[in-house]
Amino acid sequence: MSLIRAKTLDLKDIGELTEVQRENSRINREEALAGKTILQSYPRRIVLEMTSACNIHCKMCGRSSVEFKPTLFHKDWLPLLEPAADKIEEVTLLGWGEPTLHPHFREFLKWAKEHRLRKFFCTNGTRLRELKEDIFNNEVELLTVSLDGACAETNNQIRAGADFDSITSALKDIADEKKRRGVEFPYLSIVMTMMESNYREFPQYVRLGHELGLQEVKGVYLTAFDERMLDESLYGKQQELQEIFGEAERLGEKLGIAVKLPCIQGEDSAGDFLHKDCYTGWRDFFLGSDGYVRSCMSTSRKLFHISKYASFNEMWNSEEYQDFRKRVNGSDMDLPCKNCYQASFANWNKKSAFIQTGNDFAPKWEE
């Protein structure tokens, strides 16, 4: 399988869409490419940040650099999303915290299944075993687990509180259960935050994914949020990365597993622009666990609180969203967008994508 890059305009094409969903996605794509500010279409994806809390401590996480107030997504907000529920393709459950810690996490999966939506969540894997039946009962199409090493020693040193052996065993069990049931879901992947401490293991990481029975392995660059992590940054290591990425891609081809990697510095299609063309304001509706709508996870800017508007339509074409769509790909974009480090849209030719020291990189948490 060939090397793949993160999608910017489209979503992963897995599962059947209804005619209504297909038509909405078609119109949304056209409106995004045209840069429309008032949309006739609904978003293609709703991203719900379940919580800002986490049960492990990763040394590179921005949680160590700012004060994170624990917040919890309110189930009472779901009814406001109902008008879009039969038109969007996907519900994604992720954010700054560990989504599976939400006490009603299973209910969100059930809600998405009832609305015939593709379901995706990214997890640290600590609750995989107890959620195994829910994953299959609710037909979760996409599941990604964060592992930051190809072996227990590396992963557990970076991700304190995450037991590599326990997590990989649970993931292998899910892959085996897929075969036993004869189903195609979930599409399974692991993701590594690549840094000085682990990036040389990425070819072995590809082999690990194959051994676990996964469909894909991903690598994303570390973004250093404070000076403590500067020595871990891969900024300026193009030659070393070329070798590792090449080895990983060749191994992926040999083993038949997809390898997803970011661009090498200097080769990003964004060129000299501050970020790739951003479609989050068209494709995605992101609702934070504190009730504030943001354009994406990787911004400190809040557009508005969900309580400000009485309906989804009012929110989706609000003055705040119109303003964001108007400016995000222009010269007068907001400062957080100028310093974009979002994995899919960041320009990896830019130092600011790798290093965020001194920047306001995360929202201030409040209820």
Side-chain angles (χ1 to χ4, degrees), residues 233-238 265 348-352 354-355:
S233 174
L234 297 180
Y235 179 72
K237 293 185 177 291
Q238 297 96 306
Q265 184 185 339
W348 297 108
N349 299 330
K350 299 289 186 180
K351 186 176 182 179
S352 57
F354 291 88
I355 298 173

Side-chain angles (χ1 to χ4, degrees), residues 111-300:
W111 177 83
K113 181 186 179 185
E114 289 173 347
H115 288 286
R116 300 182 65 181
L117 304 175
R118 184 189 306 123
K119 296 155 288 294
F120 168 52
F121 69 94
C122 182
T123 174
N124 61 28
T126 55
R127 297 193 65 227
L128 276 181
R129 285 209 181 279
E130 56 193 285
L131 288 171
K132 174 183 167 183
E133 289 303 313
D134 299 285
I135 289 168
F136 286 101
N137 291 342
N138 291 295
E139 301 178 3
V140 172
E141 287 89 349
L142 297 161
L143 172 61
T144 296
V145 177
S146 295
L147 289 172
D148 287 330
C151 64
E153 181 180 2
T154 303
N155 180 80
N156 296 353
Q157 188 272 329
I158 294 172
R159 303 178 68 80
D163 186 313
F164 177 88
D165 291 334
S166 174
I167 293 167
T168 53
S169 174
L171 190 51
K172 178 69 163 59
D173 190 36
I174 291 173
D176 290 343
E177 183 69 9
K178 278 178 60 177
K179 292 181 181 179
R180 190 186 71 79
R181 295 187 182 218
V183 295
E184 296 296 321
F185 64 87
Y187 182 93
L188 296 170
S189 62
I190 48 177
V191 59
M192 172 192 286
T193 301
M194 296 181 297
M195 61 191 86
E196 180 64 30
S197 292
N198 65 6
Y199 82 94
R200 296 173 188 85
E201 292 185 14
F202 198 78
Q204 291 73 40
Y205 196 75
V206 175
R207 191 175 297 280
L208 171 67
H210 173 69
E211 292 171 352
L212 294 177
L214 313 184
Q215 286 70 57
E216 181 178 299
V217 296
K218 310 176 190 179
V220 296
Y221 292 127
L222 162 80
T223 299
F225 295 115
D226 57 41
E227 294 183 358
R228 175 181 55 86
M229 294 301 296
L230 289 179
D231 289 343
E232 290 284 2
S233 174
L234 297 180
Y235 179 72
K237 293 185 177 291
Q238 297 96 306
Q239 183 175 346
E240 297 94 326
L241 289 169
Q242 286 278 14
E243 295 176 4
I244 294 297
F245 284 13
E247 184 180 350
E249 182 180 2
R250 290 189 294 273
L251 188 57
E253 289 278 2
K254 178 182 177 181
L255 297 176
I257 184 169
V259 176
K260 179 182 286 186
L261 288 166
C263 296
I264 296 286
Q265 184 185 339
E267 299 179 2
D268 198 299
S269 60
D272 291 327
F273 195 62
L274 294 168
H275 55 71
K276 299 179 187 67
D277 287 344
C278 178
Y279 298 111
T280 60
W282 291 264
R283 188 191 67 184
D284 300 341
F285 181 85
F286 184 100
L287 181 55
S289 56
D290 58 355
Y292 281 89
V293 173
R294 311 198 301 272
S295 57
C296 72
M297 172 184 164
S298 305
T299 182
S300 59

Side-chain angles (χ1 to χ4, degrees), residues 61-74:
C61 183
R63 305 170 63 83
S64 302
S65 305
V66 294
E67 181 180 353
F68 265 67
K69 178 181 178 181
T71 52
L72 200 66
F73 191 99
H74 290 285

